[in-house]
Structure formats: C-alpha cells, structure tokens
Amino acid sequence: MRITPRIFLMSALVTAGLLVAPTAQAVDTAPVDPRPSTAKLAVQLHKLAIQSHGKVRVTPIGRSNENRPVWAARVGHGKVKIQYVTQQHGDEPLGTPAALEFLRTVGVGNSAWQRKLLSQVTVDIVVRANPDGHERNWRYNYDPTAVPEYGEAGKGYDINRYHDPAVAPADNPATEAGLIQRRFAAFQPDIMVDYHMQGRYKDASGKEITASTLWPTNAGVKPADGDFAKQIAVVVQRSINGAGGNVSQYPGGDYQGIARNGYGLLGSGSVLVELSDIPGREQHQISDALASMLAIARSAANGSVHTIDPAAATAIPPRGPALPGFAEDEHDAA
C-alpha cells in the first residue's frame, strides 16, 4: 500500500498550529520520494525556488569530495534564526524529503499564516549534507585516503564527529562537516536541529519507538543554552507524538565533535532528532519529521517554546532495547 506524507500533512499542520481546519490543498495522493538522487534533489530545490517566486533561496555551500554540490535553502526574513541539517550520514535519508516538504509547505503559496511565519523566522536548511554517502548508501563521506579517528580507514569520515568548535573549518578533515561549520558561522542560528535515523527499538511498555531526541550533553554547554535545547526537544516530542508517533530520549554521547554538542557549545539551542528505520512507515516518518520542523518554527516564531519547562525534556522516556531480531545499531553516539 502506498502511503504519502501529504495525506498526513493536514495532521502535521494542525499539530504545528498552522491550520485550524482541513483544506483541499493539504491532501495530495502523490507519494514523496524517500531517497531522491542528488541530481533529482537539485531539480526539486530549484523548482521550489521558482514555485515560491523567490521566497525559497537555494545556493550551493560547497562541494563534496567527489565534487557533488552540497545544497542549502533559506526561507523567511524574520529575526529568529533556525537551521536544520539533514543526512550527515548518507544511509539515513528521511530528513531530506521532510526538508523539501517543509520548504514547500512554508514557501510555496501566500496565505496569511505563511506571511506571518516568514516575517518572524528565517530558516536555513543544509539539505543532504553528505551526497557522496547517499549515493553509496553508507554512513560516511567518501575519502579513500581517510585514516580517521571516527569513520573507516580507506572509506571515509563520520561527518557527525567533526564539529568540534576548537577545529577551524579549514583544518577539518571531514570536508562536508567543514561546510556545515562555515554555514553555521555565517548564519549564527538561534536553533540548530540535526536530523538522523536510528534502528528499531521499543519503550518500557513494548511499544515501538518511532523517533528519539536529545539535547547537548557536553559539560561545557552553558546551562541556559542547554535548557533552551531541552525546550526545543519537548517541542519535537509533542509534535511527533501528536502526529501519531512515539518519541523517546536518545542515549547519546558527550563528545564535543558531535553536532548536537558542538553547536550547543557555540551557543545555539542544539537538538538531535533520530527517525526510526521502520519498513512500511517511511512516508509517515517523513511526515513526522515535517511536523517537528513546522512546530519548531512556529513555537520559535510565537515565543511559546520559551514557556516550556526544560524539566519536561528529562521526563521524555528513555529509549528501550532493540526490537527482537534487530541488533543495537551503530548510531548510539550521534
């Protein structure tokens, strides 16, 4: 059965507070491609730029080790700055189509809620940070000369271990991580959210986890920045759960090179979102990620994110064990 996130889009918009009633535009039977090629991604981004009459601004921020463009798209002109990053790990694709749907939802059209949202926030998205890894369907970037501390020799670097603020982009051995560092430094976002994927897990009741989230856990992050990230994580949990998901707390590490920690150290409200790799639920996973992107943008725009008790994040249930027949995946330090 073919299921599309555009069927779920009404739920995502209502969850994010962007619709109060169904509209004909919100339902579309066309499925979203969960793994568009890098060439197709470029076409889709530029099509959105045209359809939005320039509200979606698309630009390459550099090129991968195999000379593929790494794209960023920006929409809005508001004071609050939000940055989303998708697919640092090439085999974790679903955040990328969710980002395309976010750009389509907020950028194409001229409704009152769109105009208001885009006057309050500016959203910058690094859309598929790792095109070489995507084309190979593997975790790392592509660098046959790599002898990495994090990654695999002769294969490539784990991009999400190379965001240490002490390492300048020019000195970063992971090319694509350096591109993200530069984009972050130029944009200086208030909020940074990094979208990944995880394996299959259950909660304490035995119900399958559909996504996990976590804030910076490095001890050097300022308490106020950590609390802000926790407030954002609660927005993630509530939006995805409200769209029918089941969000847990991710068991992530403290290393400062992980994006969640590195950008938290730089003063951003920095959050990780991990979508579970659930066959048959891909389209709904894309829709859940979209719901979180919309909810983060709206709560930042209207200030409601700041009214959340940060302690609510620590009450997010911990991720339980892997489902029977599924081994613990390799992403537990993301």
Side-chain angles (χ1 to χ4, degrees), residues 184-276:
F184 178 94
F187 187 51
Q188 291 291 299
D190 303 291
I191 294 171
M192 166 67 119
V193 185
D194 185 24
Y195 283 83
H196 287 260
M197 291 181 67
Q198 63 184 358
R200 299 184 69 177
Y201 298 88
K202 60 184 178 180
D203 63 17
S205 71
K207 183 179 179 182
E208 183 158 9
I209 297 296
T210 66
S212 299
T213 188
L214 191 63
W215 45 91
T217 55
N218 183 278
V221 175
K222 294 179 181 178
D225 296 329
D227 282 348
F228 183 37
K230 289 178 180 178
Q231 291 171 317
I232 299 162
V234 174
V235 172
V236 170
Q237 181 209 24
R238 291 175 179 174
S239 60
I240 294 179
N241 283 1
N246 183 26
V247 177
S248 72
Q249 188 177 145
Y250 190 80
D254 302 332
Y255 173 54
Q256 68 269 20
I258 297 170
R260 164 177 52 83
N261 292 320
Y263 297 114
L265 287 165
L266 289 172
S268 181
S270 181
V271 170
L272 167 74
V273 178
E274 293 266 353
L275 305 168
S276 298

Coordinates of all heavy atoms in Angstrom, one line a residue, residues 184-276:
F184 N 27.0 27.5 9.5 CA 26.6 27.9 10.8 C 27.2 29.2 11.3 O 26.5 30.1 11.8 CB 27.0 26.8 11.8 CG 26.6 27.1 13.3 CD1 25.4 26.6 13.8 CD2 27.5 27.8 14.1 CE1 25.1 26.9 15.1 CE2 27.1 28.1 15.4 CZ 25.9 27.7 15.9
A185 N 28.5 29.4 11.0 CA 29.2 30.6 11.5 C 28.7 31.8 10.7 O 28.6 32.9 11.3 CB 30.7 30.4 11.2
A186 N 28.3 31.7 9.5 CA 27.8 32.8 8.7 C 26.4 33.1 9.1 O 26.0 34.3 9.1 CB 27.9 32.5 7.2
F187 N 25.6 32.1 9.4 CA 24.2 32.3 9.7 C 23.9 32.6 11.2 O 23.0 33.4 11.5 CB 23.4 31.1 9.3 CG 21.9 31.2 9.4 CD1 21.2 32.2 8.9 CD2 21.2 30.2 10.1 CE1 19.9 32.3 8.9 CE2 19.8 30.2 10.2 CZ 19.1 31.3 9.6
Q188 N 24.7 32.1 12.1 CA 24.6 32.2 13.6 C 23.1 32.0 14.0 O 22.5 32.8 14.6 CB 25.0 33.7 14.0 CG 26.5 33.9 13.8 CD 27.3 33.2 14.8 OE1 27.1 33.3 16.1 NE2 28.2 32.3 14.4
P189 N 22.7 30.7 13.9 CA 21.3 30.4 14.2 C 21.1 30.4 15.7 O 21.9 30.0 16.5 CB 21.1 29.0 13.6 CG 22.5 28.4 13.6 CD 23.4 29.6 13.3
D190 N 19.8 30.7 16.1 CA 19.4 30.6 17.5 C 19.1 29.1 17.8 O 19.3 28.7 18.9 CB 18.1 31.4 17.7 CG 18.3 32.9 17.4 OD1 19.1 33.5 18.1 OD2 17.7 33.3 16.4
I191 N 18.7 28.4 16.8 CA 18.3 27.0 16.9 C 18.9 26.2 15.9 O 19.0 26.6 14.7 CB 16.7 26.8 16.8 CG1 16.0 27.5 18.0 CG2 16.3 25.4 16.7 CD1 14.5 27.6 17.9
M192 N 19.5 25.0 16.2 CA 20.1 24.1 15.3 C 19.6 22.7 15.5 O 19.7 22.2 16.6 CB 21.6 24.1 15.4 CG 22.4 23.0 14.8 SD 22.3 23.1 13.0 CE 24.1 23.2 12.6
V193 N 19.0 22.1 14.5 CA 18.4 20.8 14.7 C 18.9 19.9 13.6 O 18.9 20.2 12.4 CB 16.8 20.8 14.6 CG1 16.3 19.4 14.9 CG2 16.3 21.8 15.6
D194 N 19.5 18.7 14.0 CA 20.2 17.8 13.1 C 19.4 16.5 13.0 O 19.1 15.8 14.0 CB 21.6 17.5 13.8 CG 22.5 16.6 12.9 OD1 22.3 16.6 11.7 OD2 23.4 16.0 13.5
Y195 N 19.0 16.2 11.8 CA 18.1 15.0 11.6 C 18.9 13.8 11.1 O 19.6 13.8 10.1 CB 17.0 15.4 10.5 CG 15.9 16.2 11.1 CD1 16.1 17.6 11.2 CD2 14.7 15.7 11.6 CE1 15.1 18.4 11.8 CE2 13.8 16.5 12.2 CZ 13.9 17.8 12.2 OH 13.0 18.6 12.8
H196 N 18.7 12.7 11.8 CA 19.3 11.4 11.6 C 18.3 10.3 11.6 O 17.1 10.5 11.6 CB 20.4 11.1 12.7 CG 21.6 12.0 12.6 ND1 22.8 11.5 12.1 CD2 21.8 13.3 13.0 CE1 23.7 12.5 12.1 NE2 23.1 13.6 12.7
M197 N 18.8 9.0 11.5 CA 18.0 7.9 11.6 C 18.6 6.9 12.5 O 19.9 6.8 12.7 CB 17.7 7.2 10.3 CG 16.7 8.1 9.4 SD 16.4 7.4 7.8 CE 15.4 5.9 8.3
Q198 N 17.8 6.0 13.2 CA 18.3 5.0 14.1 C 17.6 3.7 13.7 O 16.8 3.6 12.8 CB 17.9 5.4 15.5 CG 16.4 5.5 15.8 CD 16.0 6.0 17.2 OE1 16.9 6.2 18.0 NE2 14.7 6.1 17.4
G199 N 18.0 2.6 14.5 CA 17.4 1.3 14.2 C 16.0 1.2 14.9 O 15.3 2.2 15.0
R200 N 15.6 0.0 15.2 CA 14.3 -0.2 15.7 C 14.3 -0.6 17.2 O 15.0 -1.5 17.6 CB 13.5 -1.3 14.9 CG 13.4 -0.9 13.4 CD 12.6 -2.0 12.7 NE 11.2 -2.0 13.1 CZ 10.3 -2.8 12.5 NH1 10.6 -3.6 11.5 NH2 9.0 -2.7 12.9
Y201 N 13.6 0.1 18.0 CA 13.6 0.0 19.5 C 12.2 0.0 20.0 O 11.2 0.5 19.4 CB 14.4 1.1 20.1 CG 15.9 1.1 19.6 CD1 16.3 1.7 18.5 CD2 16.8 0.3 20.3 CE1 17.6 1.7 18.0 CE2 18.2 0.3 19.9 CZ 18.5 1.0 18.8 OH 19.8 0.9 18.3
K202 N 12.1 -0.4 21.3 CA 10.8 -0.3 21.9 C 10.9 0.4 23.2 O 12.0 0.6 23.8 CB 10.2 -1.8 22.2 CG 11.1 -2.6 23.1 CD 10.6 -4.0 23.2 CE 11.5 -4.9 24.0 NZ 10.9 -6.3 24.1
D203 N 9.8 0.9 23.8 CA 9.8 1.5 25.0 C 9.5 0.5 26.2 O 9.4 -0.7 25.9 CB 8.8 2.7 25.1 CG 7.3 2.3 24.9 OD1 7.0 1.1 25.0 OD2 6.5 3.2 24.5
A204 N 9.3 1.0 27.4 CA 9.2 0.2 28.5 C 7.9 -0.7 28.4 O 7.8 -1.8 29.0 CB 9.1 1.0 29.8
S205 N 6.9 -0.2 27.7 CA 5.6 -0.9 27.6 C 5.7 -1.9 26.4 O 4.7 -2.7 26.2 CB 4.5 0.0 27.4 OG 4.5 0.6 26.1
G206 N 6.8 -1.9 25.6 CA 6.9 -2.8 24.5 C 6.4 -2.1 23.2 O 6.5 -2.8 22.1
K207 N 6.0 -0.9 23.2 CA 5.5 -0.2 22.0 C 6.7 0.3 21.2 O 7.7 0.8 21.8 CB 4.6 1.0 22.4 CG 4.1 1.7 21.2 CD 3.2 2.9 21.6 CE 2.6 3.7 20.4 NZ 1.8 4.8 20.9
E208 N 6.7 0.2 19.9 CA 7.8 0.6 19.1 C 8.1 2.1 19.1 O 7.1 2.9 19.1 CB 7.7 0.1 17.7 CG 8.9 0.5 16.8 CD 9.1 -0.4 15.6 OE1 8.1 -1.2 15.2 OE2 10.1 -0.3 14.9
I209 N 9.3 2.5 19.2 CA 9.7 3.9 19.2 C 9.8 4.3 17.7 O 10.4 3.6 16.9 CB 11.1 4.0 19.8 CG1 11.1 3.7 21.3 CG2 11.7 5.4 19.6 CD1 10.3 4.6 22.2
T210 N 9.2 5.4 17.4 CA 9.3 5.9 16.0 C 10.3 7.0 15.8 O 10.8 7.3 14.7 CB 7.9 6.5 15.6 OG1 7.6 7.7 16.3 CG2 6.8 5.4 15.7
A211 N 10.8 7.7 16.9 CA 11.8 8.7 16.8 C 12.4 8.9 18.2 O 11.8 8.6 19.2 CB 11.2 10.0 16.3
S212 N 13.6 9.5 18.2 CA 14.2 9.8 19.5 C 14.8 11.2 19.4 O 15.1 11.7 18.3 CB 15.3 8.9 19.9 OG 14.8 7.5 20.0
T213 N 15.0 11.9 20.5 CA 15.5 13.2 20.5 C 16.5 13.4 21.7 O 16.4 12.7 22.7 CB 14.4 14.3 20.5 OG1 15.0 15.6 20.3 CG2 13.6 14.3 21.8
L214 N 17.4 14.4 21.6 CA 18.3 14.7 22.7 C 18.9 16.1 22.5 O 19.0 16.5 21.3 CB 19.4 13.6 22.7 CG 20.3 13.7 24.0 CD1 19.5 13.4 25.3 CD2 21.5 12.7 23.9
W215 N 19.3 16.7 23.6 CA 19.9 18.0 23.6 C 21.4 17.8 23.9 O 21.9 16.7 24.1 CB 19.2 18.8 24.8 CG 19.1 17.9 26.0 CD1 20.0 17.8 27.0 CD2 18.0 17.0 26.3 NE1 19.5 16.9 28.0 CE2 18.3 16.4 27.5 CE3 16.8 16.6 25.7 CZ2 17.5 15.4 28.1 CZ3 16.0 15.7 26.2 CH2 16.3 15.1 27.5
P216 N 22.2 18.9 23.9 CA 23.6 18.8 24.2 C 23.8 18.2 25.6 O 23.2 18.6 26.6 CB 24.1 20.2 24.1 CG 23.1 21.0 23.4 CD 21.8 20.3 23.7
T217 N 24.8 17.3 25.7 CA 25.1 16.7 27.0 C 26.6 17.0 27.4 O 27.0 16.5 28.4 CB 24.8 15.2 27.0 OG1 25.6 14.6 25.9 CG2 23.4 14.9 26.8
N218 N 27.3 17.7 26.6 CA 28.7 18.1 26.9 C 28.7 19.0 28.1 O 27.9 20.0 28.1 CB 29.4 18.7 25.7 CG 30.8 19.0 26.0 OD1 31.2 20.0 26.6 ND2 31.7 18.1 25.6
A219 N 29.6 18.8 29.1 CA 29.6 19.6 30.3 C 29.9 21.1 30.1 O 29.6 21.9 30.9 CB 30.6 19.0 31.3
G220 N 30.5 21.4 28.9 CA 30.9 22.8 28.7 C 29.8 23.6 28.1 O 29.9 24.9 28.0
V221 N 28.6 23.0 27.8 CA 27.5 23.8 27.3 C 26.9 24.7 28.4 O 26.7 24.2 29.5 CB 26.4 22.9 26.7 CG1 25.2 23.7 26.3 CG2 27.0 22.2 25.5
K222 N 26.7 26.0 28.2 CA 26.1 26.8 29.2 C 24.7 26.3 29.6 O 23.9 25.9 28.8 CB 26.0 28.3 28.7 CG 27.4 28.9 28.4 CD 27.2 30.3 27.8 CE 28.6 31.0 27.5 NZ 28.4 32.3 27.0
P223 N 24.4 26.4 30.9 CA 23.1 25.9 31.4 C 21.9 26.5 30.6 O 21.0 25.8 30.3 CB 23.1 26.3 32.8 CG 24.6 26.2 33.2 CD 25.3 26.8 32.0
A224 N 22.0 27.8 30.3 CA 20.9 28.4 29.7 C 20.7 27.9 28.2 O 19.6 27.7 27.8 CB 21.1 30.0 29.6
D225 N 21.8 27.6 27.6 CA 21.7 27.0 26.2 C 21.2 25.6 26.3 O 20.5 25.2 25.4 CB 23.1 27.1 25.5 CG 23.6 28.5 25.3 OD1 22.7 29.4 25.1 OD2 24.8 28.8 25.3
G226 N 21.7 24.9 27.3 CA 21.2 23.5 27.5 C 19.7 23.5 27.7 O 18.9 22.6 27.2
D227 N 19.2 24.4 28.6 CA 17.8 24.5 28.9 C 17.0 24.8 27.6 O 15.9 24.3 27.4 CB 17.5 25.5 30.0 CG 17.9 25.0 31.4 OD1 18.1 23.7 31.5 OD2 18.0 25.8 32.3
F228 N 17.5 25.7 26.8 CA 16.7 26.1 25.6 C 16.6 24.9 24.7 O 15.6 24.6 24.1 CB 17.5 27.3 24.9 CG 16.7 27.8 23.7 CD1 15.4 27.9 23.6 CD2 17.5 28.2 22.6 CE1 14.7 28.3 22.5 CE2 16.8 28.7 21.5 CZ 15.5 28.8 21.4
A229 N 17.7 24.2 24.6 CA 17.7 22.9 23.7 C 16.7 21.9 24.3 O 16.0 21.3 23.5 CB 19.1 22.3 23.7
K230 N 16.6 21.8 25.6 CA 15.6 20.9 26.2 C 14.2 21.4 25.8 O 13.3 20.5 25.5 CB 15.8 20.9 27.7 CG 17.0 20.1 28.1 CD 17.2 20.1 29.6 CE 18.4 19.4 30.1 NZ 18.6 19.4 31.5
Q231 N 13.9 22.7 25.8 CA 12.6 23.2 25.5 C 12.3 22.8 24.0 O 11.2 22.4 23.7 CB 12.6 24.7 25.6 CG 12.6 25.1 27.1 CD 12.8 26.6 27.3 OE1 13.6 27.2 26.6 NE2 12.1 27.2 28.2
I232 N 13.3 22.9 23.1 CA 13.1 22.5 21.7 C 12.8 21.0 21.6 O 12.0 20.6 20.8 CB 14.3 22.9 20.9 CG1 14.5 24.5 20.9 CG2 14.2 22.5 19.4 CD1 15.9 24.9 20.5
A233 N 13.6 20.2 22.4 CA 13.3 18.8 22.3 C 11.9 18.4 22.8 O 11.3 17.5 22.2 CB 14.4 18.1 23.3
V234 N 11.4 19.2 23.7 CA 10.0 18.9 24.1 C 9.0 19.2 22.9 O 8.0 18.5 22.7 CB 9.6 19.7 25.4 CG1 8.1 19.6 25.7 CG2 10.5 19.2 26.5
V235 N 9.3 20.3 22.2 CA 8.5 20.6 21.0 C 8.6 19.5 20.0 O 7.5 19.1 19.4 CB 9.0 21.9 20.4 CG1 8.3 22.2 19.0 CG2 8.8 23.1 21.3
V236 N 9.8 18.9 19.8 CA 9.9 17.8 18.9 C 9.0 16.6 19.4 O 8.3 16.0 18.6 CB 11.4 17.4 18.8 CG1 11.5 16.0 18.1 CG2 12.2 18.4 18.1
Q237 N 9.2 16.3 20.7 CA 8.4 15.2 21.2 C 6.9 15.4 21.1 O 6.2 14.5 20.6 CB 8.7 14.9 22.7 CG 8.0 13.8 23.3 CD 7.7 13.9 24.8 OE1 7.7 15.0 25.3 NE2 7.5 12.8 25.5
R238 N 6.4 16.5 21.4 CA 5.0 16.8 21.4 C 4.4 16.8 20.0 O 3.3 16.3 19.7 CB 4.7 18.1 22.1 CG 4.9 18.0 23.6 CD 4.7 19.4 24.3 NE 4.9 19.3 25.7 CZ 4.9 20.3 26.6 NH1 4.7 21.6 26.1 NH2 5.1 20.2 27.9
S239 N 5.2 17.3 19.1 CA 4.7 17.4 17.7 C 4.7 16.1 17.0 O 3.7 15.7 16.3 CB 5.6 18.4 16.9 OG 7.0 18.0 16.8
I240 N 5.7 15.2 17.2 CA 5.7 13.9 16.6 C 4.7 13.0 17.3 O 4.0 12.3 16.6 CB 7.1 13.3 16.6 CG1 8.1 14.1 15.7 CG2 7.1 11.8 16.2 CD1 9.5 13.7 15.7
N241 N 4.6 13.0 18.6 CA 3.6 12.2 19.3 C 2.2 12.7 18.9 O 1.3 11.8 18.7 CB 3.8 12.4 20.8 CG 4.9 11.5 21.4 OD1 5.6 10.9 20.6 ND2 5.1 11.6 22.7
G242 N 2.0 14.0 18.7 CA 0.7 14.5 18.3 C 0.3 14.0 16.9 O -0.8 14.0 16.5
A243 N 1.4 13.7 16.1 CA 1.1 13.2 14.7 C 1.0 11.7 14.7 O 1.0 11.1 13.6 CB 2.2 13.7 13.8
G244 N 1.0 11.0 15.8 CA 0.9 9.6 15.9 C 2.1 8.8 16.1 O 2.1 7.6 16.1
G245 N 3.2 9.5 16.5 CA 4.5 8.8 16.7 C 4.7 8.5 18.2 O 3.8 8.7 19.0
N246 N 5.9 8.0 18.5 CA 6.2 7.6 19.9 C 7.7 8.0 20.1 O 8.6 7.3 19.6 CB 6.0 6.1 20.1 CG 6.3 5.7 21.5 OD1 6.2 6.5 22.4 ND2 6.6 4.4 21.7
V247 N 8.0 9.1 20.7 CA 9.3 9.7 20.8 C 9.9 9.3 22.2 O 9.3 9.4 23.2 CB 9.3 11.2 20.7 CG1 10.7 11.8 20.9 CG2 8.7 11.6 19.3
S248 N 11.2 8.9 22.1 CA 12.0 8.6 23.3 C 13.2 9.5 23.4 O 13.5 10.3 22.5 CB 12.5 7.1 23.2 OG 13.5 7.0 22.3
Q249 N 13.8 9.4 24.5 CA 15.1 10.1 24.8 C 16.2 9.3 24.2 O 16.4 8.1 24.6 CB 15.2 10.4 26.3 CG 16.4 11.3 26.6 CD 16.4 11.6 28.1 OE1 17.5 11.7 28.7 NE2 15.3 11.6 28.8
Y250 N 17.0 9.9 23.4 CA 18.1 9.2 22.7 C 19.3 9.1 23.7 O 19.7 10.0 24.4 CB 18.6 10.0 21.5 CG 19.5 9.3 20.6 CD1 19.1 8.3 19.7 CD2 20.9 9.5 20.7 CE1 20.0 7.6 18.9 CE2 21.8 8.8 19.8 CZ 21.3 7.9 19.0 OH 22.2 7.2 18.1
P251 N 20.0 7.9 23.7 CA 21.1 7.7 24.6 C 22.4 8.1 24.0 O 23.3 7.3 23.7 CB 21.1 6.1 24.8 CG 20.6 5.6 23.5 CD 19.6 6.6 23.0
G252 N 22.6 9.4 23.8 CA 23.7 9.9 23.0 C 24.9 10.2 23.9 O 24.8 10.3 25.1
G253 N 26.1 10.4 23.3 CA 27.3 10.7 24.0 C 27.6 12.2 24.2 O 26.9 13.0 23.7
D254 N 28.7 12.4 24.9 CA 29.1 13.8 25.3 C 30.2 14.4 24.5 O 30.5 15.6 24.7 CB 29.5 13.7 26.8 CG 28.5 13.2 27.7 OD1 27.3 13.3 27.4 OD2 28.9 12.6 28.8
Y255 N 30.7 13.7 23.5 CA 31.9 14.2 22.8 C 31.5 15.5 22.1 O 30.5 15.7 21.4 CB 32.3 13.1 21.7 CG 33.4 13.6 20.8 CD1 34.6 14.1 21.2 CD2 33.1 13.5 19.4 CE1 35.5 14.5 20.4 CE2 34.1 13.9 18.5 CZ 35.3 14.4 19.0 OH 36.3 14.8 18.1
Q256 N 32.5 16.5 22.2 CA 32.2 17.8 21.6 C 32.2 17.9 20.1 O 31.7 18.9 19.6 CB 33.3 18.8 22.2 CG 34.7 18.6 21.6 CD 35.5 17.7 22.5 OE1 34.9 16.9 23.3 NE2 36.8 17.7 22.4
G257 N 32.7 16.9 19.4 CA 32.6 16.9 18.0 C 31.3 16.5 17.4 O 31.0 16.7 16.2
I258 N 30.4 15.9 18.2 CA 29.0 15.6 17.7 C 28.3 16.9 17.5 O 28.3 17.8 18.3 CB 28.3 14.7 18.7 CG1 29.0 13.4 18.9 CG2 26.9 14.5 18.3 CD1 28.5 12.5 20.0
A259 N 27.6 17.1 16.4 CA 26.9 18.3 16.1 C 26.1 18.8 17.2 O 26.1 20.0 17.5 CB 26.1 18.2 14.8
R260 N 25.3 18.0 17.8 CA 24.4 18.3 18.9 C 25.2 19.0 20.0 O 24.7 20.0 20.6 CB 23.7 17.1 19.4 CG 23.1 17.2 20.8 CD 22.4 15.8 21.1 NE 23.2 14.7 21.0 CZ 24.1 14.3 21.9 NH1 24.2 15.0 23.1 NH2 24.8 13.2 21.8
N261 N 26.4 18.5 20.3 CA 27.2 19.1 21.4 C 28.0 20.3 20.9 O 28.1 21.4 21.5 CB 28.2 18.1 21.9 CG 27.4 17.0 22.7 OD1 26.5 17.3 23.5 ND2 27.8 15.8 22.6
G262 N 28.6 20.2 19.7 CA 29.5 21.2 19.1 C 28.7 22.5 19.0 O 29.2 23.6 19.4
Y263 N 27.5 22.5 18.4 CA 26.8 23.7 18.2 C 26.1 24.2 19.5 O 25.9 25.4 19.6 CB 25.8 23.6 17.0 CG 26.6 23.3 15.7 CD1 26.5 22.1 15.1 CD2 27.5 24.2 15.2 CE1 27.2 21.8 13.9 CE2 28.3 23.9 14.1 CZ 28.1 22.7 13.5 OH 28.9 22.4 12.4
G264 N 25.9 23.3 20.4 CA 25.5 23.8 21.7 C 26.6 24.5 22.4 O 26.3 25.5 23.1
L265 N 27.8 24.1 22.3 CA 28.9 24.8 22.8 C 29.1 26.2 22.2 O 29.6 27.1 22.9 CB 30.2 24.0 22.6 CG 30.4 22.8 23.5 CD1 31.5 21.9 23.0 CD2 30.7 23.2 25.0
L266 N 28.6 26.4 21.0 CA 28.7 27.7 20.3 C 27.5 28.6 20.6 O 27.3 29.6 20.0 CB 28.9 27.5 18.8 CG 30.2 26.9 18.4 CD1 30.2 26.6 16.9 CD2 31.3 27.9 18.7
G267 N 26.6 28.1 21.5 CA 25.5 29.0 22.0 C 24.2 28.8 21.3 O 23.2 29.6 21.6
S268 N 24.1 27.8 20.5 CA 22.8 27.5 19.8 C 21.9 26.6 20.6 O 22.5 25.7 21.3 CB 23.0 27.0 18.4 OG 21.8 26.7 17.7
G269 N 20.6 26.7 20.5 CA 19.7 25.6 21.0 C 19.8 24.5 20.1 O 19.2 24.4 19.1
S270 N 20.7 23.5 20.4 CA 21.1 22.4 19.5 C 20.4 21.1 19.9 O 20.6 20.6 21.0 CB 22.6 22.3 19.5 OG 23.1 21.3 18.6
V271 N 19.7 20.5 18.9 CA 18.9 19.3 19.2 C 19.2 18.2 18.1 O 19.3 18.6 16.9 CB 17.4 19.7 19.3 CG1 16.6 18.4 19.4 CG2 17.2 20.5 20.5
L272 N 19.1 17.0 18.5 CA 19.2 15.8 17.6 C 17.8 15.3 17.5 O 17.1 15.1 18.5 CB 20.1 14.8 18.2 CG 20.1 13.4 17.6 CD1 20.7 13.4 16.2 CD2 20.7 12.3 18.5
V273 N 17.4 14.9 16.3 CA 16.2 14.1 16.0 C 16.6 12.9 15.2 O 17.3 12.9 14.2 CB 15.2 14.9 15.2 CG1 13.9 14.0 14.9 CG2 14.7 16.2 16.0
E274 N 16.2 11.7 15.8 CA 16.5 10.4 15.1 C 15.2 9.7 14.7 O 14.4 9.4 15.6 CB 17.3 9.5 16.1 CG 18.7 9.9 16.5 CD 19.7 9.3 15.6 OE1 19.4 8.4 14.8 OE2 20.9 9.7 15.7
L275 N 15.0 9.6 13.5 CA 13.8 8.9 13.0 C 14.1 7.4 12.9 O 15.2 7.0 12.4 CB 13.4 9.4 11.6 CG 13.2 10.9 11.4 CD1 13.1 11.3 10.0 CD2 12.0 11.3 12.2
S276 N 13.2 6.5 13.4 CA 13.5 5.1 13.4 C 13.3 4.6 11.9 O 12.5 5.0 11.2 CB 12.5 4.4 14.3 OG 12.7 4.8 15.6

